[in-house]
Amino acid sequence: MEYVIEMRDIRKEFPGIVANDNITLQVQKGEIHALLGENGAGKSTLMNVLFGLYQPEKGEIRVRGKKVEITDPNIANKLGIGMVHQHFMLVENFTVTENIVLGQEPRRRAQVDIKSAAKKVEEISRQYGLRVDPYARIEDISVGMQQRVEILKTLYRGADILIFDEPTAVLTPQEIKELIQIMKRLIAEGKSIILITHKLKEIMEVCHRCTVIRRGKGIGTVDVADTNREELASMMVGRDVSFTTKKEKGNPQQEVLEIKNLVVKDSRGIPAVKGLDLTVRFGEIIGIAGVDGNGQTELIEAITGLRNAESGEIHLNGKEITNLKPRKVTESGLGHIPQDRHKHGLVLDFSIGENMVLQTYYQEPYSKYKQIKAPEIFKKANQLIDQFDVRTPSVHTEARALSGGNQQKAIIAREVDRSPDLLIAAQPTRGLDVGAIEFIHSKLIEERDANKAILLLSFELDEIMNVSDRIAVIYEGKIIAIVNPKEVTEQDLGLLMAGSKRTGKEEN
Amino acid sequence: MRLQQILFKLSVPVIAVALGLLVGGIIMMSSGYDAFYAYSSLFSVIFTDPYYIGETVRQMSPLIMSGLAVAFAFRTGLFNIGVEGQLLVGWLASVYMGITVEGVPAFIHVPLAILAAAAAGALWGVVPGYLKARFRVHEVITTIMMNYIALHVTNSIIRNHMLAPGERTEDIQSSASLSSLFLQEITDYSRLHYGIIVAILAAVLMWYLLWKTTTGYELRAVGFNQHASNYAGINVSKNIILSMCISGGFAGVAGAMEGLGTYQYMTINAAFSGVGFDGIAVALLGANSAIGIILAAGLFGGLKIGALNMQAMAQVPPELITIVIALIIFFVASSYLVHWLRNRINKRGKI
Ligand SMILES: Nc1ncnc2c1ncn2[C@@H]1O[C@H](COP(=O)(O)OP(=O)(O)OP(=O)(O)O)[C@@H](O)[C@H]1O
Ligand SMILES: [Mg+2]
């Protein structure tokens, strides 16, 4: 059997850590090959080695049977390898077409021939069903479309071996379905795909084989047809993982958050939240379910003070916090796990230790008389790293150098540890492995049982159904229904999210 | 591990300096000069001759101050191109205080004049900072404009209110002076003055402020990621203004080095002094760190002073040293190239 890609005994070290410890990966032509492993197991690193971004200390790579040295991404491109990164690499204020052809622009008399480029882009996008608007600017399009641009970029360069690093983590369920169709079309055209994902369901649905790595070491490769979710999960974590979250019935108390008739405009100045009412009580988890773009982001930004409300009132702990500055809101008892970890959640160039006190650095014991107390900060950071299993060589490591999932765990650790009266968790488990998700969910429930309130925003219906005590359905900027997760089916919830009037029984 | 990281950080500036000197030498040779003789006459005096050592150290103080100014703003993500203008107003303010305040002892007069310089520079920095924070006007544009305003305003004030014979102000009172007969004597009567102590204290202050205080934490956070800073409750606008204010203050003190130290007066300037722009080079080579800036200022100061001897001995025009400095900056700026080279060497070294 000849492999299109064969990576043998790859070893890659970073200061203080062996990210890849003699890993072997063999990909057959025309298959979708899953790469599975915990956060920080070394998946992205291995793929960056294949794409020429990192040089391995040891090991050999064969492409279509021929031994190759991939010293930079241009060589990978020439070998027909394309990669869609975990965090996109697009020029924000360029158009879709400009981004796709960047570096390989068709020219006419020393000028970039943008028309014929756009035509070629349209051609490829039609061939694989990758809908994009060739003339739109990246900053104006959705994450899903940005991802299609990344895929088109690789196809434009003639890639027939595609690496997808956690493509579905940032997508809505609808977009995930589309991506799966696209991947199927790609292999039907004879391309091969390496897919990194933490969602075992996706592996079971589209992948042919799956290679599992754990803490930098290869554990083995299995045929997906011969295995199941549970087996994959225990292979990767090294223990059994439960997929449903255990929780007792909650004991909700008085109100902590009260929102009345809230109106918030989006960045373009169009109202996105249109007269929304919502109440959250101590001791409960409220899940917000809705299709992306129905005002969720604006709602959260308005509560947390990152965006001004046009009208309406927000009360936290009986105190009005409408349009207060973020610091004031935080000090009134709010915690916030933001949706976009790189934009809001972390200062990537700070050490992980410094990031752990991003909300508290000005308080004792982390500083006194405006003087930073570094030992206290690092003590706290070390404690959180242990408690939340954030895998990092040390507290001094730059946040940038952590794997995506471990960055996320660091943010969650910081926010949960402060034990705020109300914790807003926006897609908290995005990019986390199944073990970490289980842990985070139990942490959220622990907080609830300690009589704190949690407002959970997620596009994963599983998560919403499993963790919430009540589900608030948001549609076109309003809460149109509050349902009990035990009394609603996923189908009904889906219908509600699409805006259909509810028929089931009312809860409280 | 730690040692390795330090070496890693040092490699870019060191390689850049070596390449700059090398290419500068090639240019000398191709223009018919003896590069070896030129460099040896340059370096021998700045390490052995007391006069040249004194002059080098004197040259360092304003370079350190303006380097600190550029670096401090840069840590908050701002390009302060206005150090030159802030330096000029600082210079004038220190000289004004030095002339007008009478009958106070030196230990009050000197700090007073330096603080006046800092305040004037800070004011000159706050304006672009405010415009940036409030109206999002890019600071590069406004600081450059403020440079011209400073040049003409200081000239006009001197001409109309402080003029002494020779297109300059009077000398400052001796109680405001940083100059020291002792330092001059031990350095063969160079113009060395106590300003270097002020400069080193300022470098320590910058390091302390940035790394040991909550203010520094906030400034650096804003420099790296404004969105996350805002999320963390840090007032981004306030920190932008504060950063420009402190940066301008450092630049103003650079002016005091000239006014209270080297010259003891201020002239009407036909053009910019250039020290403010050299600060950009110093900060770049010094990687925006306090210790790096002191070292870089030492190198540039030494090259500039040594160039005079190079001219005397090897008849090489001192402009060639300006080219060498430009080359060094060029190589630092293209550190990508240097990184690449170093990777190549590493790889071959390993196999
Ligand atoms: N540039 C880097 N410098 C230092 N360490 C790094 C760097 N990139 C990755 N690491 C470390 O290597 C290990 C593997 O990281 P990698 O990003 O490959 O994990 P991953 O399997 O992709 O995880 P995730 O699922 O969270 O994305 C981590 O411990 C990480 O801290
Ligand atoms: Mg990864």
Side-chain angles (χ1 to χ4, degrees), chain A residues 124-188:
Chain A
I124 312 176
S125 82
R126 205 163 332 110
Q127 185 183 353
Y128 295 100
L130 290 153
R131 288 178 299 104
V132 292
D133 170 1
Y135 294 105
R137 275 178 201 282
I138 296 299
E139 55 196 0
D140 298 331
I141 63 178
S142 72
V143 177
M145 194 181 285
Q146 288 183 16
Q147 186 168 66
R148 292 196 286 274
V149 174
E150 285 278 18
I151 300 173
L152 280 170
K153 227 163 88 180
T154 64
L155 295 174
Y156 178 83
R157 285 162 174 68
D160 59 3
I161 301 159
L162 296 159
I163 306 167
F164 289 140
D165 193 350
E166 285 189 51
T168 57
V170 292
L171 298 184
T172 61
Q174 183 53 38
E175 287 171 327
I176 292 174
K177 274 192 202 125
E178 285 173 31
L179 179 66
I180 285 176
Q181 289 314 313
I182 291 165
M183 286 197 290
K184 286 185 171 158
R185 218 165 298 149
L186 285 168
I187 49 166

Side-chain angles (χ1 to χ4, degrees), chain B:
Chain B
M1 194 84 275
R2 267 218 97 62
L3 185 74
Q4 214 176 356
Q5 275 167 357
I6 292 169
L7 288 180
F8 183 86
K9 271 195 184 150
L10 274 177
S11 64
V12 169
V14 167
I15 294 175
V17 169
L19 283 176
L21 290 172
L22 183 75
V23 177
I26 293 172
I27 294 174
M28 282 185 211
M29 296 218 273
S30 62
S31 327
Y33 298 109
D34 183 346
F36 292 101
Y37 186 50
Y39 277 139
S40 67
S41 54
L42 188 159
F43 284 109
S44 63
V45 288
I46 60 172
F47 286 116
T48 58
D49 187 307
Y51 174 80
Y52 283 95
I53 294 173
E55 279 292 293
T56 299
V57 175
R58 175 192 65 77
Q59 183 87 356
M60 276 171 73
S61 0
L63 283 178
I64 292 174
M65 290 309 309
S66 60
L68 293 177
V70 174
F72 198 89
F74 194 78
R75 290 280 184 185
T76 315
L78 300 164
F79 282 108
N80 183 4
I81 311 294
V83 172
E84 184 68 38
Q86 294 145 15
L87 179 149
L88 287 175
V89 296
W91 187 342
L92 184 66
S94 69
V95 169
Y96 179 81
M97 286 307 232
I99 295 171
T100 53
V101 177
E102 283 179 62
V104 289
F107 74 89
I108 297 179
H109 203 174
V110 171
L112 193 68
I114 291 177
L115 281 181
L123 181 72
W124 228 252
V126 158
V127 175
Y130 176 77
L131 292 173
K132 166 99 180 186
R134 183 81 176 74
F135 303 108
R136 300 193 170 204
V137 190
H138 203 285
E139 73 278 6
V140 167
I141 313 273
T142 46
T143 50
I144 289 176
M145 283 161 54
M146 291 295 284
N147 281 344
Y148 284 97
I149 300 175
L151 181 66
H152 296 298
V153 166
T154 51
N155 281 348
S156 150
I157 292 178
I158 297 174
R159 189 169 291 124
N160 294 320
H161 303 288
M162 300 170 71
L163 200 61
E167 296 284 280
R168 46 167 276 199
T169 67
E170 289 167 38
D171 277 344
I172 55 170
Q173 323 260 348
S174 61
S175 56
S177 173
L178 281 169
S179 72
S180 140
L181 203 56
F182 166 71
L183 288 179
Q184 290 174 5
E185 271 170 3
I186 60 165
T187 58
D188 238 349
Y189 297 96
S190 75
R191 289 173 291 171
L192 183 61
H193 53 81
Y194 284 127
I196 187 69
I197 297 174
V198 178
I200 287 172
L201 284 179
V204 174
L205 179 70
M206 160 163 137
W207 170 83
Y208 178 79
L209 214 61
L210 278 178
W211 299 101
K212 298 287 160 191
T213 67
T214 53
T215 310
Y217 182 98
E218 292 184 0
L219 289 167
R220 287 183 296 121
V222 170
F224 285 132
N225 185 346
Q226 296 196 359
H227 294 290
S229 304
N230 189 30
Y231 155 88
I234 296 169
N235 187 334
V236 173
S237 300
K238 187 190 101 182
N239 276 287
I240 286 175
I241 296 173
L242 180 66
S243 168
M244 281 304 287
C245 175
I246 297 175
S247 167
F250 280 135
V253 175
M257 301 288 102
E258 307 287 48
L260 307 177
T262 306
Y263 296 101
Q264 316 274 318
Y265 58 81
M266 184 168 180
T267 56
I268 290 176
N269 290 297
F272 292 121
S273 71
V275 175
F277 299 119
D278 288 342
I280 301 172
V282 170
L284 191 64
L285 184 64
N288 297 314
S289 78
I291 185 82
I293 284 167
I294 294 177
L295 293 176
L299 178 76
F300 286 162
L303 285 177
K304 284 190 170 186
I305 298 299
L308 302 173
N309 190 53
M310 184 180 79
Q311 185 184 25
M313 306 291 285
Q315 280 79 46
V316 180
E319 283 75 18
L320 258 166
I321 286 304
T322 317
I323 295 180
V324 170
I325 291 179
L327 283 166
I328 292 174
I329 294 312
F330 170 79
F331 286 119
V332 176
S334 52
S335 65
Y336 171 73
L337 187 80
V338 180
H339 270 278
W340 178 79
L341 257 178
R342 201 197 45 222
N343 277 345
R344 290 304 286 254
I345 295 164
N346 259 356
K347 250 182 230 159
R348 245 183 277 144
K350 253 190 187 170
I351 294 166

Side-chain angles (χ1 to χ4, degrees), chain A residues 55 306 326-327 336 338 342-344 346-347 349-350 354 357-359 361 367 370-372 414-415, chain B residues 1 5 208 211-215 217-218 220-221 224-225 227-235 347 350:
Chain A
Q55 303 309 309
L306 292 173
R327 169 80 39 100
H336 178 198
H342 282 185
K343 187 174 176 189
H344 289 117
L346 293 167
V347 178
D349 303 271
F350 269 11
E354 285 175 300
V357 293
L358 202 54
Q359 306 270 26
Y361 68 90
S367 63
K370 295 204 133 212
Q371 300 208 56
I372 293 278
R414 178 182 74 211
E415 297 303 310
Chain B
M1 194 84 275
Q5 275 167 357
Y208 178 79
W211 299 101
K212 298 287 160 191
T213 67
T214 53
T215 310
Y217 182 98
E218 292 184 0
R220 287 183 296 121
F224 285 132
N225 185 346
H227 294 290
S229 304
N230 189 30
Y231 155 88
I234 296 169
N235 187 334
K347 250 182 230 159
K350 253 190 187 170

Side-chain angles (χ1 to χ4, degrees), chain A residues 249-261:
Chain A
K249 196 168 165 4
N251 176 24
Q253 316 264 320
Q254 79 279 23
E255 287 91 32
V256 57
L257 177 75
E258 271 192 282
I259 301 174
K260 284 193 210 122
N261 209 8

